Amino acid sequence: LLAAPTVSTANSDLEKLTQNPANWASWGGDYAGTRYSKLSQINAQNVKNLQPAWSFSTGVLRGHEGGPLVVNGVLFVHTPFPNTVYAIDQKTQSVIWEFTPTMDADVTIPVMCCDTVNRGLAYGDGKIFLQQSDTVLTALDAKTGKRVWSVQNGDPKLGMTNTNAPIVVKDKVITGISGGEFGVRGFLAAYDIKTGQLAWKGYSMGPDKDTLIKPGKSTTWQDGKVTPLGPESSLATWKGDQWKIGGGTTWGWYSYDPKLNLVYYGSGNPSTWNPVQRPGDNKWSMSLWARDADTGEVKWVYQMTPHDEWDYDGINETVLVDQEIKGQMRKTIVHFDRNGVGYTLDRENGELLVAETFDKSVNWLTHVDMKSGRPQVVPEFSTEHNGEDVNTVGTCPAALGAKNQQPVSYSPQTGLFYISGNHLCMEYEPFEVSYTAGQPYVGATLNMMPAGADVLTGKKDGTTNLGQFTAWDAKTGKIVWSNKEQFSVWSGSVATAGGVVFYGTLEGYLKAVDAKTGKELYKFKTPSGIIGNVNTWEFEGKQYVGVLSGIGGWAGIGIAAGLDDGSDSTNTEGLGAVGAYRSLGSYTKLGGTLTVFALPN
Amino acid sequence: LLAAPTVSTANSDLEKLTQNPANWASWGGDYAGTRYSKLSQINAQNVKNLQPAWSFSTGVLRGHEGGPLVVNGVLFVHTPFPNTVYAIDQKTQSVIWEFTPTMDADVTIPVMCCDTVNRGLAYGDGKIFLQQSDTVLTALDAKTGKRVWSVQNGDPKLGMTNTNAPIVVKDKVITGISGGEFGVRGFLAAYDIKTGQLAWKGYSMGPDKDTLIKPGKSTTWQDGKVTPLGPESSLATWKGDQWKIGGGTTWGWYSYDPKLNLVYYGSGNPSTWNPVQRPGDNKWSMSLWARDADTGEVKWVYQMTPHDEWDYDGINETVLVDQEIKGQMRKTIVHFDRNGVGYTLDRENGELLVAETFDKSVNWLTHVDMKSGRPQVVPEFSTEHNGEDVNTVGTCPAALGAKNQQPVSYSPQTGLFYISGNHLCMEYEPFEVSYTAGQPYVGATLNMMPAGADVLTGKKDGTTNLGQFTAWDAKTGKIVWSNKEQFSVWSGSVATAGGVVFYGTLEGYLKAVDAKTGKELYKFKTPSGIIGNVNTWEFEGKQYVGVLSGIGGWAGIGIAAGLDDGSDSTNTEGLGAVGAYRSLGSYTKLGGTLTVFALPN
Ligand SMILES: O=C(O)c1cc(C(=O)O)c2c(n1)C(=O)C(=O)c1cc(C(=O)O)[nH]c1-2
Ligand SMILES: O=C(O)c1cc(C(=O)O)c2c(n1)C(=O)C(=O)c1cc(C(=O)O)[nH]c1-2
């Protein structure tokens, strides 16, 4: 008898950690990305008594995305560039260790499209994994903060950067790449958790050997059924070599199903933003992916927005929950896309189950054809159809989507998803652009404005709010309730067994609402606008809720990068965000702070 | 009949504003600088229930000194360099207007000795007065934030900067100058509140025409009595032209007695720090001053530390209260000097009444001779006596004083002063230095370490705390109680009619203690270390307590200026502060935030 090969137990370790609600050990709280906590000390009755327990300034300005990890009582806090990591002792609220990587700001910052954000850390195998802005993936000893290994994941000189949180799956750390606005060809990469060696790398586009699509075995949804892909399913949808600079980056969130051993995520916009320059479906940009965790091989892939004409990156998080759909229990994957559609698929095989808009102001499509799985595009809002140098007006949502990177939460108590939403429309004028390595490769001028329409009906109503917080039934594709917010909700929510959902606002409020009704139960104005995700954990018998504030991200780029020149709302800087969010500057200023909340003693 | 000349009513306006405890309209809460509030909604019984009500990130890192002004419900918040001013609507916690001056960072920041701090704004005549770092004094319309006038108060190219809060007295704005470490000759200047025109300017040293000392009329304490000064009382105490680069800057706080029409303040260290290079008393560095508010003419002046050998700047605040001393009611001025002595004088004529050390570890003097008013220096700790290039060890306090800029508070309820204190000793090695305009002109190497001695007795006890919070009876010169703090208390306190005193700590805690006993009643960890002053006010029937956090200042210079190179506690950077406060980096990081506290609804 041979001894069984030693396989790292990081996976089961992490699973165990996430099963204890005292921890918040990965971005989603669990592998499924539900952002649900079994803690119920803070509940719908007593949350009105919530108060800040302590706070911690990170020493870094600009946008703070993601949220703190909590592993066995220790808090791990990250910052945007320069990506400092703090391990914090909750008892004394002091710093156990800190780590700041050496990075070249002059090379990296100019090629970060949408602020110098970082969406957080991963934990596994006694290590903290930091995906640095300059693409270096670094493993730190969780006890000491000493670097164990580092690996270069891309080249900032070619416009590659990173903003995503990695995830740990078994003996691998999985990460993606940013740079869709610089012609970067996206990929998902897995590195050995012990050594940092590359294990596999699957591109979003290119030959099958690059995408790790196995023709005849990997599937997609087509003709009303799960259909094996033919050879070179990506290359066939591109003209010439455009796929080499074709985008489809992978800067969002990754989830994992340990039973199916599949990793799930979405790919971003095809490059350039000028659709005329890239005829074809541009596969597999704008797609949902299921890959084998060990090999990267594609199990299935589904393109939500073929031949994108609006920058509706498909990278938003994928939540893995089992739901009864039309009388049948299904292992589903739920995804709220920037294009405004909430998708429910079977996560075993990619079968399309539900596809409905979660904001009825969305107008670029009439509906998703459930048989072909394709959106039915309204010609009026097709920037391809209208052509280069023509300003297509009134398209909803705006390029930053009906929802952007801010992850949803899911409560098994209510069976509902809680969506942090945007509510804007846009003008979009594509123009001819040529590629230069490391230079912006956008090819469109944008303007964004309030949707001015009802989320529930789509009826124009002259409202000026730029966002809302919406509860959604993913079994049926229906909005259950929706609360208006003055600005986009750029913060990921958390749902708890206390019947409460927490989220942050761009003005800086941490809010708690009733999970059933949406009724606002509590709010507190944190130091700066919130684009971080709210996490919750327990320490010494007490439930805590924590969130990073620090205005920035795409919505806050005007403040973060100092782009507001004092001109009016037609300022098209920041790809239209500066003008649209201009009034935000009256509500909040830069500054990274972790605020930790609890009930009074 | 001629019409009476129009005199601005700013003075009486401001007096009225400060009499309403809903406002906090000047740095000291009132002209007397008591930092006492008549508000009592928050009291010693209920302060344990205090909680943050809202918070506001200023968008600026580095040290945040001073505190918010509150005038008729509007909050005015300032920042360190770049000296942004925010007017904030308390109801919506949003920004009504903001103003950021244009300054040359490359010229100004390098000549700021002790971080890029600013101690706050002044209000009067419907204007907000901002004393910019680059010495420009700017008047802003309090309603709109539009600049009304600006005036250049000094030249940064010669090492002049400003960090002080100005004060408004009648039709004038009064300000000082920083630069004692650059050979700047200090002065107090008064500018016309309407136009910014210079009204008068009184230097700390030089000919009588510069100091505005009137020989035979201006007085000092000498030979046990109030004595008129002879001609050229300053020049006589300097060798050659050294007085021209002689320091005596005025970077602290100014108070005013409307009945006596006198402005009070202290002057700083003589330049250089090497005493051997400037024989004589170096008058009037290190002195307390009383000047006529209309003309600047000196009423009286008293030198606390003749011929300074330790950098014991005399600029700390002067508090004007009436007290019964030895059975007689006196209009007193109370001042806690960096040199460790708490002084009580008659503020009408400068008569010395009390002079006792408020930290018994202080060892550089045996006592103040009450007849001559001179400290009796212990030769062992005389850096002049020990000479150039000799390291004088064990002198207490350290150069940053038994107390630095952080202003005390006074409660008429208890009759006590509340002192935010330092508790360090030092090594000090003077060396020959030559003057170059705009270059550091220090001439000493320093090392600082914990006093390791009891505040109440001075007995060596091996303690390592760097600070304490002390209650003091200025009628008798006695410590009433004293609480140890791990680090220096670099935050100004506020005393209230609720029987509570509030102060902040370098780790970032806002603390409330019982005014009578010093018992700690409440603490909350704000985002960053506190070197700001705690202020209190009322809005819509509710009492608020507010404080800026944002680590920095001299004590926090290691963090603020990134000077901690990872070496040990003997790091002499920051004139010894980097080594002494090294462990502070484990407790707090940079970041400017206003945190506003209140009782729950
Ligand atoms: O195409 C890309 O590679 C890429 C990267 C990123 C990023 O890494 O932050 C964003 C986007 N695109 C993008 O389209 C977008 O809306 C966006 C918003 C944000 C943000 O953090 O607020 N990042 C990004
Ligand atoms: O001599 C001067 O002109 C001067 C200026 C300043 C200042 O303006 O901040 C300080 C000092 N000296 C000084 O000696 C000192 O201890 C000090 C501490 C601080 C501070 O804000 O923490 N400033 C200053």
Side-chain angles (χ1 to χ4, degrees):
Chain A
L1 256 178
L2 279 170
T6 349
V7 173
S8 161
T9 57
N11 175 31
S12 47
D13 279 4
L14 186 55
E15 239 191 307
K16 218 156 81 202
L17 282 169
T18 60
Q19 271 153 19
N20 177 356
N23 297 312
W24 191 274
S26 73
W27 72 266
D30 54 26
Y31 272 132
T34 60
R35 304 190 51 76
Y36 174 74
S37 168
K38 283 175 239 145
L39 297 176
S40 60
Q41 192 178 90
I42 300 168
N43 61 41
Q45 280 67 53
N46 64 21
V47 68
K48 65 175 188 291
N49 302 322
L50 206 66
Q51 48 177 262
W54 56 278
S55 50
F56 176 78
S57 179
T58 67
V60 179
L61 303 174
R62 301 196 65 159
H64 281 59
E65 290 184 351
L69 294 188
V70 183
V71 180
N72 297 327
V74 177
L75 232 88
F76 298 96
V77 176
H78 67 285
T79 75
F81 193 98
N83 299 157
T84 298
V85 182
Y86 299 109
I88 296 181
D89 180 338
Q90 290 194 72
K91 208 168 200 132
T92 59
Q93 297 142 19
S94 62
V95 175
I96 302 166
W97 57 256
E98 62 184 279
F99 173 85
T100 304
T102 306
M103 292 193 282
D104 188 336
D106 296 334
V107 172
T108 302
I109 294 179
V111 290
M112 300 192 78
C113 75
C114 311
D115 200 6
T116 57
V117 295
N118 181 292
R119 292 191 196 85
L121 307 165
Y123 176 88
D125 195 34
K127 301 188 193 76
I128 286 289
F129 297 95
L130 168 68
Q131 178 55 77
Q132 299 172 200
S133 308
D134 66 354
T135 80
V136 172
L137 176 67
T138 291
L140 302 171
D141 184 307
K143 285 242 165 3
T144 64
K146 296 267 175 294
R147 180 161 52 189
V148 182
W149 54 256
S150 277
V151 62
Q152 191 85 28
N153 179 51
D155 184 353
K157 293 213 178 68
L158 303 179
M160 299 184 196
T161 55
N162 273 100
T163 58
N164 62 279
I167 64 164
V168 170
V169 169
K170 299 208 274 193
D171 57 349
K172 297 184 180 65
V173 198
I174 292 174
T175 192
I177 197 79
S178 294
E181 278 60 61
F182 295 82
V184 168
R185 178 165 66 123
F187 59 80
L188 200 74
Y191 295 94
D192 184 278
I193 200 172
K194 299 275 185 214
T195 64
Q197 255 199 314
L198 184 69
W200 54 258
K201 188 169 185 172
Y203 283 91
S204 302
M205 51 200 56
D208 290 337
K209 71 169 177 21
D210 286 5
T211 58
L212 308 183
I213 287 174
K214 287 272 146 6
K217 193 176 167 206
S218 308
T219 64
T220 195
W221 180 253
Q222 208 171 284
D223 298 328
K225 59 178 191 294
V226 173
T227 309
L229 287 164
E232 306 304 357
S233 56
S234 165
L235 285 185
T237 65
W238 290 92
K239 191 173 156 192
D241 278 355
Q242 181 71 23
W243 59 269
K244 291 186 176 166
I245 50 170
T249 51
T250 51
W251 55 276
W253 310 95
Y254 323 125
S255 46
Y256 173 62
D257 184 324
K259 293 225 182 68
L260 301 175
N261 197 36
L262 293 175
V263 175
Y264 299 90
Y265 69 102
S267 53
N269 63 291
S271 303
T272 99
W273 288 22
N274 175 2
V276 179
Q277 283 179 261
R278 43 170 173 75
D281 272 358
N282 311 135
K283 280 183 173 135
W284 294 96
S285 68
M286 302 302 211
S287 300
L288 292 178
W289 298 75
R291 286 184 188 270
D292 181 278
D294 298 328
T295 63
E297 189 181 299
V298 173
K299 171 79 176 165
W300 60 260
V301 58
Y302 166 67
Q303 193 178 40
M304 297 171 286
T305 312
H307 189 63
D308 169 67
E309 312 168 43
W310 314 271
D311 189 44
Y312 294 152
D313 292 48
I315 64 84
N316 290 352
E317 73 290 355
T318 47
V319 188
L320 316 180
V321 296
D322 298 349
Q323 303 183 91
E324 195 183 298
I325 300 205
K326 294 186 189 135
Q328 203 187 335
M329 272 311 286
R330 291 284 201 144
K331 286 183 188 291
T332 66
I333 176 173
V334 176
H335 168 87
F336 299 91
D337 201 64
R338 246 158 88 164
N339 72 14
V341 178
Y343 296 91
T344 308
L345 291 85
D346 184 306
R347 74 174 175 274
E348 289 199 76
N349 59 17
E351 179 186 344
L352 183 62
L353 301 171
V354 176
E356 297 290 343
T357 54
F358 56 91
D359 176 343
K360 300 307 174 191
S361 72
V362 169
N363 65 8
W364 68 278
L365 81 172
T366 55
H367 65 289
V368 174
D369 177 69
M370 296 304 286
K371 194 156 170 245
S372 65
R374 295 177 74 97
Q376 304 303 297
V377 177
V378 175
E380 179 186 353
F381 303 119
S382 163
T383 68
E384 160 91 42
H385 173 261
N386 296 338
E388 279 179 356
D389 305 318
V390 174
N391 193 19
T392 295
V393 303
T395 311
C396 314
L400 39 65
K403 174 190 169 299
N404 199 283
Q405 59 79 34
Q406 52 277 35
V408 299
S409 57
Y410 169 76
S411 169
Q413 286 188 338
T414 59
L416 300 179
F417 286 81
Y418 300 96
I419 313 166
S420 304
N422 306 324
H423 198 53
L424 295 93
C425 303
M426 67 175 164
E427 302 178 358
Y428 190 114
E429 180 168 334
F431 59 83
E432 173 82 24
V433 64
S434 64
Y435 175 81
T436 310
Q439 294 299 315
Y441 184 54
V442 177
T445 308
L446 271 74
N447 227 310
M448 303 200 255
M449 59 285 301
D454 189 37
V455 171
L456 300 167
T457 63
K459 282 219 186 79
K460 289 279 165 198
D461 59 5
T463 46
T464 57
N465 62 303
L466 301 180
Q468 64 277 324
F469 192 68
T470 300
W472 173 261
D473 184 338
K475 303 182 285 296
T476 57
K478 295 226 151 39
I479 298 171
V480 177
W481 52 255
S482 185
N483 293 348
K484 278 195 181 64
E485 283 287 351
Q486 181 171 3
F487 296 101
S488 295
V489 185
W490 213 263
S491 150
S493 59
V494 66
T496 77
V500 185
V501 187
F502 296 93
Y503 66 96
T505 75
L506 285 182
E507 304 103 302
Y509 289 103
L510 173 89
K511 291 193 173 181
V513 299
D514 187 293
K516 285 207 201 78
T517 64
K519 190 180 168 217
E520 193 172 298
L521 303 172
Y522 174 77
K523 70 172 178 174
F524 176 83
K525 187 148 190 194
T526 68
S528 179
I530 301 180
I531 62 170
N533 306 333
V534 189
N535 294 346
T536 185
W537 65 90
E538 191 182 270
F539 181 66
E540 298 189 338
K542 211 173 167 88
Q543 183 182 358
Y544 291 91
V545 172
V547 71
L548 283 168
S549 37
I551 192 67
W554 190 2
I557 193 69
I559 304 176
L563 297 178
D564 185 351
D565 59 0
S567 67
D568 66 8
S569 62
T570 59
N571 184 331
T572 58
E573 285 254 44
L575 293 162
V578 176
Y581 293 89
R582 230 204 119 200
S583 64
L584 189 53
S586 303
Y587 292 89
T588 198
K589 302 294 159 188
L590 295 180
T593 304
L594 174 72
T595 308
V596 176
F597 298 79
L599 292 172
N601 281 324
Chain B
L1 256 180
L2 280 170
T6 349
V7 173
S8 160
T9 55
N11 174 32
S12 46
D13 279 3
L14 186 55
E15 239 190 308
K16 216 153 84 199
L17 282 170
T18 61
Q19 272 152 18
N20 178 355
N23 297 312
W24 191 274
S26 72
W27 71 266
D30 53 27
Y31 271 132
T34 61
R35 303 190 51 76
Y36 174 73
S37 168
K38 283 174 239 147
L39 297 177
S40 61
Q41 191 179 90
I42 302 168
N43 60 42
Q45 281 67 53
N46 62 22
V47 69
K48 65 175 188 293
N49 302 322
L50 205 66
Q51 48 178 261
W54 57 277
S55 50
F56 176 79
S57 180
T58 66
V60 180
L61 303 174
R62 302 196 65 160
H64 281 59
E65 291 184 350
L69 294 188
V70 183
V71 180
N72 298 327
V74 177
L75 232 86
F76 298 95
V77 176
H78 66 286
T79 76
F81 193 96
N83 300 157
T84 299
V85 181
Y86 298 110
I88 297 180
D89 180 338
Q90 290 194 72
K91 205 162 203 140
T92 58
Q93 297 142 19
S94 62
V95 175
I96 302 166
W97 56 257
E98 64 182 278
F99 173 85
T100 303
T102 306
M103 293 193 282
D104 189 336
D106 296 335
V107 172
T108 301
I109 293 179
V111 290
M112 300 192 78
C113 75
C114 311
D115 200 6
T116 56
V117 295
N118 181 292
R119 292 191 195 84
L121 307 166
Y123 176 88
D125 196 33
K127 301 187 193 79
I128 286 288
F129 298 95
L130 167 68
Q131 178 55 77
Q132 299 173 199
S133 308
D134 66 355
T135 81
V136 171
L137 176 66
T138 291
L140 302 171
D141 185 305
K143 285 243 165 4
T144 63
K146 296 269 175 292
R147 180 159 53 188
V148 182
W149 54 256
S150 278
V151 62
Q152 190 85 30
N153 179 51
D155 183 353
K157 294 214 178 69
L158 304 178
M160 299 184 197
T161 55
N162 273 102
T163 59
N164 62 279
I167 62 164
V168 170
V169 169
K170 299 208 273 193
D171 56 349
K172 298 185 179 65
V173 198
I174 292 175
T175 191
I177 196 79
S178 294
E181 278 60 60
F182 295 83
V184 168
R185 179 165 64 124
F187 59 79
L188 200 74
Y191 295 94
D192 185 279
I193 200 172
K194 299 275 184 214
T195 63
Q197 255 200 313
L198 183 69
W200 54 257
K201 188 169 186 174
Y203 282 91
S204 301
M205 51 200 56
D208 290 337
K209 72 171 174 26
D210 286 5
T211 57
L212 308 185
I213 287 174
K214 287 271 145 8
K217 193 174 167 205
S218 308
T219 64
T220 194
W221 181 252
Q222 207 173 283
D223 299 326
K225 60 178 191 292
V226 172
T227 308
L229 288 164
E232 306 305 356
S233 55
S234 165
L235 284 185
T237 65
W238 290 92
K239 190 173 156 194
D241 278 355
Q242 182 70 24
W243 60 269
K244 290 185 177 166
I245 52 170
T249 50
T250 51
W251 55 277
W253 310 94
Y254 324 125
S255 46
Y256 173 62
D257 183 324
K259 292 227 183 68
L260 300 176
N261 198 35
L262 293 175
V263 174
Y264 300 90
Y265 69 101
S267 53
N269 64 289
S271 304
T272 98
W273 288 22
N274 175 1
V276 179
Q277 282 180 261
R278 43 169 172 75
D281 272 357
N282 311 135
K283 276 179 177 139
W284 294 97
S285 69
M286 304 303 211
S287 301
L288 291 180
W289 298 76
R291 287 185 190 270
D292 182 277
D294 298 328
T295 63
E297 188 181 300
V298 173
K299 170 81 177 166
W300 59 260
V301 57
Y302 166 66
Q303 192 178 41
M304 297 171 289
T305 312
H307 188 64
D308 170 67
E309 312 168 44
W310 313 271
D311 189 43
Y312 294 151
D313 292 48
I315 64 83
N316 290 352
E317 72 290 355
T318 47
V319 189
L320 316 180
V321 296
D322 298 348
Q323 303 183 89
E324 194 182 299
I325 300 204
K326 293 185 189 137
Q328 204 187 332
M329 271 311 283
R330 291 285 199 143
K331 285 181 188 292
T332 67
I333 176 174
V334 176
H335 168 87
F336 299 91
D337 200 64
R338 244 157 89 164
N339 72 15
V341 178
Y343 296 91
T344 308
L345 291 85
D346 184 307
R347 73 174 176 275
E348 289 199 73
N349 58 19
E351 180 186 345
L352 183 63
L353 302 172
V354 176
E356 298 290 342
T357 53
F358 56 91
D359 176 343
K360 299 306 175 190
S361 72
V362 169
N363 66 9
W364 68 278
L365 82 173
T366 55
H367 65 288
V368 174
D369 178 70
M370 296 303 286
K371 193 155 170 245
S372 66
R374 294 177 75 97
Q376 303 302 296
V377 177
V378 175
E380 180 187 351
F381 303 118
S382 163
T383 68
E384 160 90 42
H385 174 260
N386 297 338
E388 277 177 359
D389 305 318
V390 174
N391 192 18
T392 295
V393 303
T395 310
C396 314
L400 40 65
K403 174 188 168 303
N404 199 283
Q405 58 78 34
Q406 52 277 35
V408 299
S409 57
Y410 170 77
S411 169
Q413 286 188 337
T414 59
L416 300 179
F417 285 80
Y418 300 97
I419 313 167
S420 304
N422 306 325
H423 198 52
L424 295 95
C425 303
M426 68 175 164
E427 301 178 359
Y428 189 114
E429 181 169 333
F431 59 83
E432 173 81 24
V433 63
S434 64
Y435 175 81
T436 311
Q439 294 300 313
Y441 184 55
V442 176
T445 309
L446 271 76
N447 227 309
M448 303 199 256
M449 59 283 300
D454 189 39
V455 171
L456 300 167
T457 64
K459 282 219 186 80
K460 289 278 165 199
D461 60 5
T463 47
T464 58
N465 62 302
L466 301 180
Q468 64 277 322
F469 192 69
T470 300
W472 175 262
D473 183 338
K475 302 180 285 296
T476 58
K478 295 224 153 38
I479 297 172
V480 177
W481 51 255
S482 184
N483 293 348
K484 278 193 181 63
E485 282 287 351
Q486 181 172 3
F487 296 101
S488 295
V489 185
W490 213 263
S491 150
S493 58
V494 67
T496 76
V500 185
V501 187
F502 296 93
Y503 67 97
T505 75
L506 285 182
E507 304 104 301
Y509 288 103
L510 173 90
K511 291 193 172 181
V513 299
D514 187 293
K516 283 206 200 77
T517 64
K519 192 180 165 218
E520 193 171 297
L521 303 172
Y522 174 76
K523 70 172 178 176
F524 176 83
K525 188 147 188 196
T526 68
S528 179
I530 300 180
I531 62 171
N533 307 334
V534 189
N535 295 346
T536 185
W537 65 91
E538 192 182 86
F539 181 67
E540 298 189 339
K542 211 173 167 87
Q543 183 182 357
Y544 292 91
V545 172
V547 69
L548 283 168
S549 37
I551 192 67
W554 190 3
I557 193 70
I559 305 176
L563 297 176
D564 185 352
D565 59 359
S567 68
D568 66 7
S569 62
T570 60
N571 185 331
T572 57
E573 284 254 44
L575 294 163
V578 176
Y581 293 88
R582 232 207 118 199
S583 64
L584 190 53
S586 302
Y587 293 89
T588 198
K589 301 293 159 189
L590 295 180
T593 304
L594 174 73
T595 308
V596 176
F597 298 79
L599 293 173
N601 282 323

